[in-house]
Amino acid sequence: MRELRVKHQNYAWGARGSSAVRALALANAQRHDDARPEDFDDSTPFAELWCGTHASGMSDVVGEDGARTPLIEHVKSAANATLGERAVARFGDDVPFLMKMLSVARALSVQAHPDKALAVKLHESNPEAYKDDNHKPEMALCVSETFEAMSGFANADAVLTATRRHEEFGRVIGDDDAIEALRKAVESGQSNESAALRDAFKRVFTALMTAEKGKVETELRAMEARVRDEGTTATSSSSVESLFLRLCEQYPGDVGAFCAFVLNYVTLRPGEAIYMAANEPHAYLSGDCVEVMATSDNVVRAGLTPKFRDVQVLCDMLTYKLGAPEILTGDVVDACTRRYVPPFDEFLLDVVTVSRGTAYGVVAKSGPSVWIVHRGSCAFASAKDSKTFAAEPGAVFFVDADEECGV
């Protein structure tokens, strides 16, 4: 078991003030006598806490003497021992996952993550924008009162209803033939899995996201004003119209605001999680989450961002799977552990909650694990080398494969 000094990211969409990420990042720095005041100004947005080996936010192993070693060096020094032989055979000599904590104050970009084949191609052709040649399936677990996201495409009939209710939305799409093809596919009873329905949906989404900027801005202004004038019904907190108005405020003139009518609007409660496979569109909106993903930072963006947009690549790469995302509530492992298992090989997530005064032994994993203390305090001990750490919020640990530990 090794304690980690981890990195944080100050992206513009992060939360200011006493956010979860700021609190955990500050506590982690304080544990290692590294909390410079200028790094933790509460007027700065604190977006992400990174725990892993990715080069953009490499964690450091902290020795008993305070010396630091990049986690990747610890891992590679004895990969079969630190990662486990099965993980090395499957994923190579690196930690196959990256763990984060996010504090989201405003919407992230409308985005998707490429599959492995596309990741290699994008990295080779544009390494500045796509720094990794790996895919990035991910899972987000709500750890705040609520966590809002847009995840996956809505059903086609909901999108058609939105084009009828909001003429501005239909005019931005502009491709009447595509809308008509989508309508015919729906009315003929085509399932969400049918090629005809998905092809029509792709035409509609591509027309929307590639619409001329001036046209988008004009129609957005008109629709925003009209929806506001419609009053409380249209702007109720549960409606997609309310989300649309919020996105207009956060990103004026951005076509991504129309994605409120194209993607599923999801509100998670504590203990609920969603996962995003490769080539599926999504955008986080607000709240705190624990996020786990394959070790990659590849993002293809198309809206709600001032960053580089690769719109045609995004439109071409998506699967156009329609319907609400699966909400995971976790499987009960024992009295203390709930386990979240997405359909990916690189990771799973255990949430361990131990009552005061209770001892709990953590079963050894066949691969590496990263632990972050989110709430409460405990003594965290390793059976391997008899080390014991006083663990409080902000403490992060790397545990080798096949290593037993306990709380």
Coordinates of all heavy atoms in Angstrom, one line a residue, residues 13 48 50 96-100 102 108-109 111-114 135-141 147 149-151 273-284 289-300 325-326 328 340-349:
W13 N -15.5 25.0 -16.1 CA -16.8 24.5 -15.7 C -16.8 24.0 -14.3 O -17.9 23.6 -13.7 CB -17.3 23.3 -16.6 CG -16.3 22.2 -16.9 CD1 -15.5 22.1 -17.9 CD2 -16.0 21.1 -16.0 NE1 -14.7 20.9 -17.8 CE2 -15.0 20.4 -16.6 CE3 -16.5 20.8 -14.7 CZ2 -14.5 19.2 -16.0 CZ3 -16.0 19.6 -14.1 CH2 -15.0 18.8 -14.8
E48 N -11.7 18.9 -11.3 CA -11.4 17.5 -11.2 C -10.2 17.2 -10.3 O -9.2 17.9 -10.3 CB -11.1 16.9 -12.6 CG -12.2 17.0 -13.6 CD -11.9 16.4 -15.0 OE1 -10.8 16.0 -15.2 OE2 -12.9 16.2 -15.8
W50 N -7.5 14.1 -10.0 CA -7.1 12.9 -10.8 C -6.2 12.0 -9.9 O -5.3 12.5 -9.3 CB -6.2 13.4 -12.0 CG -6.9 14.0 -13.1 CD1 -8.0 14.8 -13.0 CD2 -6.6 14.0 -14.5 NE1 -8.4 15.3 -14.3 CE2 -7.6 14.8 -15.2 CE3 -5.6 13.3 -15.2 CZ2 -7.5 14.9 -16.6 CZ3 -5.6 13.5 -16.6 CH2 -6.5 14.3 -17.3
P96 N -4.7 0.3 -15.7 CA -5.7 0.3 -16.8 C -6.8 1.3 -16.6 O -7.6 1.5 -17.6 CB -6.2 -1.1 -16.9 CG -6.1 -1.6 -15.6 CD -4.9 -1.0 -15.0
F97 N -6.9 2.0 -15.5 CA -8.0 2.9 -15.2 C -7.5 4.2 -14.6 O -6.4 4.3 -14.0 CB -9.0 2.3 -14.3 CG -8.5 1.9 -12.9 CD1 -8.4 2.9 -11.9 CD2 -8.0 0.7 -12.7 CE1 -7.9 2.5 -10.6 CE2 -7.4 0.3 -11.4 CZ -7.4 1.3 -10.4
L98 N -8.3 5.2 -14.7 CA -8.0 6.5 -14.1 C -9.3 6.9 -13.2 O -10.4 6.8 -13.7 CB -7.8 7.6 -15.1 CG -7.7 9.1 -14.7 CD1 -6.5 9.2 -13.8 CD2 -7.6 10.0 -15.9
M99 N -9.0 7.2 -12.0 CA -10.1 7.6 -11.0 C -10.1 9.1 -10.8 O -9.0 9.7 -10.6 CB -9.9 6.8 -9.7 CG -11.1 7.0 -8.7 SD -10.8 6.0 -7.2 CE -12.3 6.3 -6.3
K100 N -11.3 9.7 -10.8 CA -11.4 11.1 -10.6 C -12.6 11.4 -9.6 O -13.5 10.6 -9.5 CB -11.7 11.8 -11.9 CG -10.7 11.7 -13.0 CD -11.1 12.5 -14.2 CE -10.1 12.4 -15.4 NZ -10.6 13.1 -16.6
L102 N -15.2 14.7 -9.5 CA -15.6 15.9 -10.3 C -16.6 16.8 -9.5 O -17.4 16.3 -8.8 CB -16.3 15.5 -11.6 CG -15.5 15.3 -12.8 CD1 -14.5 14.1 -12.6 CD2 -16.3 15.0 -14.0
L108 N -20.5 20.6 -19.1 CA -19.3 20.2 -19.9 C -19.7 20.1 -21.3 O -20.9 20.1 -21.7 CB -18.8 18.8 -19.4 CG -17.9 18.8 -18.2 CD1 -18.6 19.2 -16.9 CD2 -17.2 17.5 -18.1
S109 N -18.8 19.9 -22.2 CA -19.1 19.9 -23.7 C -19.9 18.7 -24.0 O -19.9 17.6 -23.4 CB -17.8 19.8 -24.4 OG -17.0 18.8 -24.0
Q111 N -20.1 15.7 -26.0 CA -18.8 14.9 -26.3 C -19.1 13.4 -26.4 O -20.1 12.9 -26.0 CB -17.8 15.2 -25.3 CG -18.2 14.7 -23.9 CD -17.1 15.0 -22.8 OE1 -16.4 14.2 -22.4 NE2 -17.1 16.3 -22.4
A112 N -18.1 12.7 -27.0 CA -18.1 11.3 -27.0 C -16.6 10.9 -26.9 O -15.7 11.7 -27.3 CB -18.8 10.7 -28.2
H113 N -16.3 9.7 -26.6 CA -15.0 9.1 -26.5 C -14.8 8.1 -27.6 O -15.7 7.2 -27.7 CB -14.7 8.6 -25.1 CG -15.0 9.6 -24.0 ND1 -14.3 10.8 -23.9 CD2 -15.8 9.5 -23.0 CE1 -14.8 11.4 -22.9 NE2 -15.7 10.7 -22.3
P114 N -13.7 8.1 -28.3 CA -13.6 7.2 -29.4 C -13.3 5.7 -28.9 O -12.7 5.6 -27.9 CB -12.4 7.7 -30.2 CG -11.6 8.5 -29.2 CD -12.6 9.1 -28.2
H135 N -8.9 3.9 -25.8 CA -10.3 4.3 -25.7 C -10.6 4.8 -24.3 O -9.7 4.7 -23.4 CB -11.3 3.1 -26.1 CG -11.2 2.0 -25.1 ND1 -12.2 1.0 -25.1 CD2 -10.3 1.6 -24.2 CE1 -11.9 0.1 -24.2 NE2 -10.8 0.4 -23.6
K136 N -11.8 5.3 -24.0 CA -12.1 5.9 -22.7 C -13.6 5.6 -22.3 O -14.3 6.6 -22.1 CB -11.9 7.4 -22.8 CG -11.9 8.1 -21.4 CD -11.8 9.6 -21.6 CE -12.1 10.4 -20.3 NZ -12.2 11.8 -20.5
P137 N -14.0 4.4 -22.2 CA -15.3 4.1 -21.5 C -15.2 4.6 -20.1 O -14.1 4.6 -19.4 CB -15.4 2.6 -21.6 CG -14.0 2.1 -21.6 CD -13.2 3.1 -22.4
E138 N -16.3 5.1 -19.6 CA -16.3 5.7 -18.2 C -17.6 5.4 -17.5 O -18.6 5.1 -18.1 CB -16.0 7.2 -18.3 CG -17.0 8.0 -19.0 CD -16.6 9.4 -19.2 OE1 -15.4 9.7 -19.4 OE2 -17.4 10.3 -19.3
M139 N -17.6 5.7 -16.2 CA -18.7 5.5 -15.3 C -18.7 6.7 -14.3 O -17.6 7.1 -13.8 CB -18.7 4.2 -14.6 CG -19.9 4.0 -13.6 SD -19.9 2.3 -13.0 CE -18.4 2.2 -12.1
A140 N -19.9 7.2 -14.0 CA -20.0 8.3 -13.0 C -21.0 8.0 -11.9 O -22.1 7.6 -12.2 CB -20.4 9.6 -13.7
L141 N -20.5 8.1 -10.7 CA -21.4 7.8 -9.5 C -21.7 9.1 -8.8 O -20.8 9.8 -8.4 CB -20.6 6.8 -8.6 CG -21.2 6.6 -7.2 CD1 -22.5 5.7 -7.4 CD2 -20.2 5.9 -6.3
F147 N -27.0 14.6 -9.2 CA -26.0 14.8 -10.3 C -26.7 14.8 -11.6 O -27.4 13.8 -11.9 CB -24.9 13.7 -10.3 CG -23.8 14.0 -11.2 CD1 -22.8 14.9 -11.0 CD2 -23.8 13.3 -12.4 CE1 -21.8 15.1 -11.9 CE2 -22.7 13.5 -13.4 CZ -21.7 14.4 -13.1
A149 N -27.0 15.1 -15.8 CA -26.2 14.8 -17.0 C -27.2 14.7 -18.2 O -28.4 14.4 -18.1 CB -25.4 13.5 -16.9
M150 N -26.6 14.8 -19.4 CA -27.3 14.4 -20.6 C -26.5 13.1 -21.0 O -25.2 13.1 -21.1 CB -27.2 15.4 -21.7 CG -28.0 16.7 -21.4 SD -28.2 17.8 -22.8 CE -26.5 18.5 -22.9
S151 N -27.2 12.0 -21.3 CA -26.5 10.8 -21.6 C -27.3 10.0 -22.7 O -28.4 9.6 -22.4 CB -26.4 10.0 -20.3 OG -25.7 8.7 -20.6
A273 N -25.5 5.5 -10.5 CA -24.4 5.7 -11.5 C -24.9 5.4 -12.9 O -25.8 4.7 -13.1 CB -23.2 4.7 -11.2
I274 N -24.2 6.1 -13.9 CA -24.4 5.8 -15.3 C -23.1 5.5 -15.9 O -22.0 6.0 -15.4 CB -25.1 7.0 -16.0 CG1 -24.4 8.3 -15.8 CG2 -26.6 7.1 -15.6 CD1 -24.9 9.5 -16.6
Y275 N -23.1 4.8 -17.0 CA -21.8 4.5 -17.7 C -22.0 4.9 -19.1 O -23.1 5.0 -19.7 CB -21.4 3.0 -17.6 CG -22.4 2.1 -18.2 CD1 -22.4 1.8 -19.5 CD2 -23.3 1.4 -17.3 CE1 -23.3 0.8 -20.0 CE2 -24.2 0.5 -17.8 CZ -24.2 0.2 -19.2 OH -25.1 -0.7 -19.7
M276 N -20.9 5.3 -19.7 CA -20.8 5.8 -21.1 C -19.8 4.9 -21.9 O -18.6 5.0 -21.6 CB -20.4 7.3 -21.2 CG -21.5 8.3 -20.9 SD -22.1 8.2 -19.2 CE -20.7 8.7 -18.3
A277 N -20.3 4.1 -22.8 CA -19.4 3.3 -23.6 C -18.8 4.2 -24.7 O -19.1 5.4 -24.8 CB -20.2 2.2 -24.3
A278 N -17.8 3.7 -25.4 CA -17.2 4.4 -26.5 C -18.3 4.8 -27.5 O -19.3 4.1 -27.7 CB -16.2 3.6 -27.2
N279 N -18.1 6.0 -28.2 CA -19.0 6.4 -29.3 C -20.4 6.7 -28.9 O -21.3 6.6 -29.7 CB -18.9 5.4 -30.4 CG -17.5 5.2 -30.9 OD1 -16.7 6.0 -30.9 ND2 -17.3 3.9 -31.4
E280 N -20.6 7.1 -27.6 CA -21.9 7.5 -27.1 C -21.9 8.9 -26.6 O -21.0 9.3 -25.9 CB -22.4 6.6 -26.0 CG -22.5 5.1 -26.3 CD -23.6 4.8 -27.4 OE1 -24.4 5.7 -27.6 OE2 -23.6 3.7 -27.9
P281 N -22.8 9.8 -27.0 CA -22.8 11.2 -26.6 C -23.2 11.4 -25.2 O -24.1 10.7 -24.7 CB -23.8 11.8 -27.6 CG -24.8 10.7 -27.8 CD -24.0 9.4 -27.8
H282 N -22.6 12.4 -24.6 CA -23.0 12.8 -23.2 C -22.5 14.1 -22.9 O -21.6 14.7 -23.6 CB -22.5 11.7 -22.2 CG -21.0 11.6 -22.2 ND1 -20.4 10.8 -23.1 CD2 -20.1 12.0 -21.4 CE1 -19.1 10.8 -22.9 NE2 -18.9 11.6 -21.8
A283 N -23.0 14.7 -21.8 CA -22.5 16.0 -21.2 C -22.9 16.0 -19.8 O -24.1 15.9 -19.5 CB -23.0 17.2 -22.0
Y284 N -22.0 16.2 -18.8 CA -22.3 16.4 -17.4 C -22.8 17.8 -17.3 O -22.3 18.7 -17.9 CB -21.1 16.1 -16.5 CG -20.6 14.7 -16.6 CD1 -19.3 14.4 -16.2 CD2 -21.4 13.6 -16.9 CE1 -18.8 13.1 -16.3 CE2 -21.0 12.3 -17.0 CZ -19.6 12.0 -16.6 OH -19.2 10.8 -16.7
C289 N -19.4 14.0 -8.6 CA -19.4 12.5 -8.9 C -18.0 12.0 -8.7 O -17.0 12.7 -8.8 CB -19.9 12.2 -10.3 SG -18.8 12.6 -11.6
V290 N -18.0 10.7 -8.5 CA -16.7 9.9 -8.7 C -16.8 9.3 -10.1 O -17.8 8.7 -10.5 CB -16.6 8.7 -7.6 CG1 -15.5 7.8 -8.0 CG2 -16.5 9.3 -6.2
E291 N -15.7 9.5 -10.8 CA -15.7 9.1 -12.2 C -14.5 8.1 -12.4 O -13.4 8.4 -11.9 CB -15.6 10.3 -13.2 CG -15.7 9.9 -14.6 CD -15.4 11.1 -15.5 OE1 -14.6 12.0 -15.2 OE2 -16.1 11.1 -16.6
V292 N -14.8 7.0 -13.0 CA -13.7 6.0 -13.3 C -13.8 5.8 -14.8 O -14.9 5.7 -15.4 CB -13.9 4.7 -12.5 CG1 -12.6 3.9 -12.6 CG2 -14.2 5.0 -11.1
M293 N -12.6 5.6 -15.4 CA -12.5 5.5 -16.9 C -11.3 4.7 -17.2 O -10.4 4.5 -16.4 CB -12.5 6.8 -17.5 CG -11.2 7.6 -17.2 SD -11.4 9.4 -17.3 CE -12.5 9.6 -15.9
A294 N -11.2 4.2 -18.4 CA -10.0 3.6 -18.9 C -8.9 4.8 -19.0 O -9.3 6.0 -19.2 CB -10.2 3.0 -20.3
T295 N -7.7 4.5 -18.9 CA -6.7 5.5 -18.8 C -6.5 6.2 -20.2 O -5.8 5.7 -21.1 CB -5.3 4.9 -18.4 OG1 -5.5 4.3 -17.1 CG2 -4.2 6.0 -18.3
S296 N -7.2 7.3 -20.3 CA -7.2 8.1 -21.6 C -7.8 9.4 -21.3 O -8.6 9.6 -20.3 CB -8.0 7.4 -22.7 OG -8.1 8.2 -23.8
D297 N -7.5 10.4 -22.1 CA -8.1 11.7 -22.0 C -8.6 12.2 -23.3 O -8.7 13.4 -23.6 CB -7.1 12.8 -21.4 CG -7.8 14.0 -20.9 OD1 -8.9 13.9 -20.4 OD2 -7.2 15.1 -21.0
N298 N -8.9 11.2 -24.2 CA -9.4 11.5 -25.5 C -10.9 11.9 -25.5 O -11.7 11.2 -25.0 CB -9.3 10.3 -26.5 CG -7.9 10.2 -27.0 OD1 -7.1 11.1 -27.0 ND2 -7.5 9.0 -27.5
V299 N -11.2 13.1 -26.0 CA -12.5 13.7 -26.0 C -12.8 14.3 -27.4 O -12.0 15.1 -27.9 CB -12.7 14.8 -24.9 CG1 -14.2 15.3 -25.0 CG2 -12.4 14.2 -23.6
V300 N -13.9 13.8 -28.0 CA -14.3 14.5 -29.3 C -15.5 15.3 -29.0 O -16.5 14.9 -28.5 CB -14.7 13.4 -30.3 CG1 -15.1 14.1 -31.7 CG2 -13.6 12.4 -30.6
P325 N -30.5 5.8 -20.7 CA -29.4 5.0 -20.2 C -29.7 4.1 -19.1 O -30.7 4.4 -18.3 CB -28.4 6.1 -19.8 CG -29.2 7.2 -19.4 CD -30.4 7.2 -20.3
E326 N -28.9 3.1 -18.9 CA -29.1 2.2 -17.7 C -28.6 2.9 -16.4 O -27.5 3.5 -16.4 CB -28.4 0.9 -17.9 CG -28.5 -0.1 -16.7 CD -27.8 -1.3 -16.9 OE1 -27.0 -1.4 -17.9 OE2 -27.9 -2.2 -16.1
L328 N -27.3 2.4 -12.8 CA -26.8 1.3 -11.9 C -27.0 1.8 -10.4 O -26.7 2.9 -10.1 CB -25.3 1.1 -12.1 CG -24.9 0.7 -13.5 CD1 -23.3 0.5 -13.6 CD2 -25.6 -0.6 -14.0
Y340 N -20.2 -1.5 -8.2 CA -20.7 -1.1 -9.5 C -19.9 -1.7 -10.6 O -18.7 -1.4 -10.7 CB -20.7 0.5 -9.5 CG -21.6 1.1 -8.5 CD1 -21.1 1.2 -7.1 CD2 -22.9 1.5 -8.8 CE1 -21.9 1.8 -6.2 CE2 -23.7 2.1 -7.8 CZ -23.2 2.2 -6.5 OH -24.0 2.8 -5.5
V341 N -20.5 -2.4 -11.4 CA -19.8 -3.2 -12.5 C -20.3 -2.8 -13.9 O -21.4 -3.2 -14.3 CB -19.9 -4.7 -12.3 CG1 -19.0 -5.4 -13.3 CG2 -19.5 -5.1 -10.9
P342 N -19.6 -1.9 -14.6 CA -20.1 -1.5 -15.9 C -19.6 -2.6 -16.9 O -18.8 -3.5 -16.6 CB -19.3 -0.2 -16.2 CG -18.0 -0.4 -15.4 CD -18.4 -1.2 -14.2
P343 N -20.1 -2.6 -18.1 CA -19.7 -3.6 -19.1 C -18.4 -3.3 -19.8 O -18.2 -3.4 -21.0 CB -20.9 -3.5 -20.1 CG -21.3 -2.1 -20.1 CD -21.1 -1.6 -18.7
F344 N -17.4 -3.0 -19.0 CA -16.0 -2.8 -19.5 C -15.0 -3.6 -18.6 O -15.3 -3.9 -17.5 CB -15.6 -1.3 -19.3 CG -16.7 -0.3 -19.7 CD1 -17.1 0.7 -18.8 CD2 -17.4 -0.4 -20.9 CE1 -18.1 1.6 -19.2 CE2 -18.4 0.5 -21.3 CZ -18.8 1.5 -20.4
D345 N -13.9 -3.9 -19.2 CA -12.9 -4.8 -18.6 C -12.0 -4.0 -17.6 O -11.4 -4.6 -16.8 CB -12.1 -5.5 -19.6 CG -12.9 -6.5 -20.4 OD1 -14.0 -6.9 -19.9 OD2 -12.6 -6.8 -21.6
E346 N -11.8 -2.7 -17.9 CA -10.7 -2.0 -17.2 C -10.9 -1.7 -15.7 O -10.0 -1.5 -15.0 CB -10.4 -0.7 -17.9 CG -9.7 -0.8 -19.3 CD -10.6 -1.1 -20.4 OE1 -11.8 -1.3 -20.2 OE2 -10.1 -1.1 -21.6
F347 N -12.2 -1.7 -15.3 CA -12.4 -1.2 -13.9 C -13.8 -1.7 -13.4 O -14.7 -2.0 -14.2 CB -12.3 0.3 -13.8 CG -13.3 1.0 -14.7 CD1 -14.6 1.3 -14.2 CD2 -13.0 1.5 -15.9 CE1 -15.5 2.0 -15.0 CE2 -13.9 2.1 -16.7 CZ -15.2 2.4 -16.2
L348 N -13.9 -1.7 -12.1 CA -15.2 -1.7 -11.4 C -15.0 -0.7 -10.2 O -13.9 -0.3 -9.9 CB -15.6 -3.1 -11.0 CG -14.7 -3.9 -10.1 CD1 -14.7 -3.5 -8.6 CD2 -15.0 -5.4 -10.2
L349 N -16.1 -0.4 -9.5 CA -16.0 0.6 -8.4 C -16.7 0.0 -7.2 O -17.8 -0.4 -7.2 CB -16.7 1.9 -8.8 CG -16.8 3.0 -7.7 CD1 -15.4 3.5 -7.4 CD2 -17.6 4.2 -8.2

